[in-house]
Amino acid sequence: MVNKKLANLATEWALVNAECANEFLTCINLCRRTNKRKLLVALNRRQVDRKLFIALSRERDTEARIILNEYWEDLIEENENLRYSIKSKEAFRFLSKVYKYNQFERRDGAMASVVKVGDAVIRNEDEVNRLIMDSLKKVQVDERSSMYSGPLPFPYLPDLNPEELECVFRKLWPGKAITTDCIGDNIFGKECRERVIRVLRDLWSGINLRNFHFLTRLIPLNKKFPDIPTPDQIRPIIVSSPLVKILESRLRSKLQKFLRDHVHRSQVGFTEGMDIYVNIWRALRRILELNCLFLDFKSAYNTVLHNLLYEKLERVLDEGEIALLKAIFSRLRITLGKEHFQPNIGVPQGSVISPSLFNIYAASLLEGLEQDGMGSR
């Protein structure tokens, strides 16, 4: 796993010793080169409490159901006592773990470490990674497109004032996964916000960013859990550097404003003041009133055509802002173990602006469906 402690220490040191974005990135690069062998650390094996196993083994003549009931009753009673003590945080952590994951038939977030090809079950880690990446490449790489023959230059955009930078960081939070570029998620912490705003004010002024900042990590989630998935039955969550999240967040306020004021009325997901329950309520009403046709977009985010996306964004962003997005996308590389490739189709699942980009990309489809429906009446 990524050495988060090292990344956070490097980020703190860089913020203290830098006065501008270029100096900050120089410090980060120095830390990364100096500690290259420490960027990844081994996971500690989880210690499992075996109280229940011991009770079941010791009291073989007692019905298992009785032992299980007594075990959980004792745990819950103990936890209730903790809730009203100085260890209340530990008690709520227990509640979160137990009551979130007690539905064993379905567990969101299960990673795909085994895949099925025909009747064969593949368990070798390198082979599993290769099969998953090959499947994703079929969707996210168009061999006919030469849009990104190399990294595109970053545009020169004016510095942001403190209020604008505060808006950029307002919805970026620590506690997220990071990459191996040695930038920690503590850069999003409120305690260092003032310093970050002062140092990174000129981040968008055409700085030549190193390509390792754009190496993303693929987290393949099993969409068929608890069953074993095929290589194409994974949800590809892309973990990008905190630096990439900061870069693209400059565009978020404009994208959100467009969604709020101009996007098709059915596109309420990921729009300020709206959520999925709006569409659930709409769907229930429509089902009761008339027949409905449901369309399922398979690999929707992964199949966005970049040239068409940039064309649609001309209504929303100015030329320099689109150039910023192009520069980011021309550098992104997806990695999983020893495997890697550069996508030229799709928007990353896990990006802070991908939902907005997809909503804008899909708006014309919804407008067309509405017009065709009205015309057929």
Side-chain angles (χ1 to χ4, degrees):
M1 63 176 292
V2 176
N3 191 338
K4 200 167 189 177
K5 183 177 180 180
L6 171 63
N8 285 341
L9 288 172
T11 301
E12 289 176 9
W13 180 77
L15 287 172
V16 168
N17 289 278
E19 295 298 328
C20 64
N22 200 41
E23 290 180 6
F24 171 81
L25 294 172
T26 300
C27 291
I28 289 293
N29 184 40
L30 176 61
C31 286
R32 189 175 185 274
R33 283 192 288 109
T34 306
N35 299 281
K36 200 161 188 178
R37 294 185 178 180
K38 300 178 182 178
L39 294 175
L40 297 173
V41 292
L43 277 173
N44 292 326
R45 185 178 295 275
R46 182 178 296 175
Q47 298 297 318
V48 180
D49 188 345
R50 301 180 65 83
K51 289 181 181 177
L52 178 59
F53 174 79
I54 293 170
L56 288 168
S57 301
R58 185 175 58 238
E59 303 180 41
R60 290 183 179 180
D61 296 334
T62 306
E63 190 178 345
R65 179 175 57 82
I66 296 174
I67 298 174
L68 284 168
N69 287 342
E70 290 177 351
Y71 172 79
W72 283 107
E73 285 171 4
D74 290 343
L75 273 183
I76 292 170
E77 183 179 349
E78 180 183 336
N79 197 67
E80 280 297 300
N81 294 330
L82 283 177
R83 284 178 62 188
Y84 302 102
S85 70
I86 59 173
K87 296 184 177 180
S88 59
K89 187 175 182 180
E90 183 179 331
F92 282 103
R93 190 181 298 119
F94 168 87
L95 291 173
S96 175
K97 286 183 178 179
V98 172
Y99 291 103
K100 183 176 181 181
Y101 294 127
N102 65 334
Q103 298 179 24
F104 298 112
E105 290 303 311
R106 187 78 180 181
R107 178 174 173 179
D108 292 335
M111 287 183 60
S113 57
V114 178
V115 295
K116 183 168 58 176
V117 179
D119 294 328
V121 175
I122 311 300
R123 302 182 183 277
N124 178 271
E125 182 180 352
D126 290 341
E127 183 66 9
V128 169
N129 291 346
R130 185 188 66 78
L131 289 168
I132 290 174
M133 291 288 270
D134 285 349
S135 176
L136 193 58
K137 268 192 279 189
K138 291 176 182 177
V139 180
Q140 287 201 253
V141 175
D142 183 357
E143 301 291 351
R144 298 166 298 178
S145 174
S146 59
M147 180 176 292
Y148 308 126
S149 55
L152 298 176
F154 278 94
Y156 179 90
L157 297 175
D159 295 354
L160 297 178
N161 61 45
E163 292 75 20
E164 291 170 327
L165 277 166
E166 179 65 36
C167 183
V168 166
F169 282 92
R170 189 174 299 151
K171 293 185 179 180
L172 296 173
W173 305 96
K176 304 293 184 181
I178 59 173
T179 61
T180 57
D181 70 341
C182 228
I183 297 180
D185 65 337
N186 59 336
I187 200 170
F188 301 138
K190 290 184 178 179
E191 61 277 3
C192 60
R193 180 68 52 81
E194 185 177 341
R195 180 70 182 175
V196 170
I197 286 176
R198 186 162 70 84
V199 171
L200 299 185
R201 65 191 182 280
D202 61 341
L203 180 61
W204 298 268
S205 60
I207 295 174
N208 184 25
L209 300 171
R210 294 177 179 268
N211 288 338
F212 62 73
H213 292 297
F214 300 91
L215 290 175
T216 67
R217 292 196 297 124
L218 172 65
I219 299 180
L221 300 185
N222 178 3
K223 294 199 294 187
K224 294 296 180 180
F225 189 89
D227 298 329
I228 297 175
T230 59
D232 62 341
Q233 291 176 329
I234 62 112
R235 179 174 289 106
I237 302 300
I238 305 299
V239 176
S240 59
S241 164
L243 181 71
V244 175
K245 294 178 181 177
I246 295 170
L247 284 169
E248 63 186 11
S249 288
R250 176 171 181 144
L251 311 177
R252 180 157 52 182
S253 60
K254 270 194 176 183
L255 295 171
Q256 281 290 312
K257 186 177 186 304
F258 182 84
L259 291 178
R260 187 172 59 248
D261 299 340
H262 301 291
V263 82
H264 192 273
R265 60 187 177 181
S266 68
Q267 286 288 71
V268 297
F270 302 102
T271 302
E272 289 181 352
M274 298 289 187
D275 59 27
I276 188 60
Y277 291 103
V278 176
N279 272 340
I280 292 175
W281 177 78
R282 284 177 171 176
L284 289 173
R285 284 194 61 188
R286 297 295 187 274
I287 291 169
L288 292 173
E289 293 172 0
L290 43 87
N291 294 326
C292 293
L293 172 65
F294 290 92
L295 301 177
D296 181 16
F297 292 150
K298 184 178 179 181
S299 297
Y301 276 30
N302 300 333
T303 53
V304 170
L305 300 176
H306 288 183
N307 56 346
L308 187 55
L309 173 64
Y310 299 141
E311 183 181 317
K312 292 177 182 293
L313 286 174
E314 291 175 1
R315 301 171 56 194
V316 189
L317 306 174
D318 62 38
E319 185 177 344
E321 290 166 332
I322 295 174
L324 171 64
L325 192 61
K326 288 181 178 180
I328 293 172
F329 280 179
S330 70
R331 288 168 169 77
L332 288 182
R333 295 183 71 86
I334 299 174
T335 65
L336 179 63
K338 300 174 183 178
E339 303 292 323
H340 61 86
F341 74 92
Q342 181 177 14
N344 59 9
I345 292 176
V347 291
Q349 295 194 43
S351 162
V352 297
I353 63 170
S354 284
S356 299
L357 294 177
F358 180 77
N359 277 0
I360 292 169
Y361 181 81
S364 59
L365 170 62
L366 297 169
E367 291 165 1
L369 288 172
E370 183 179 47
Q371 290 170 4
D372 291 345
M374 292 176 65
S376 64
R377 287 182 181 178

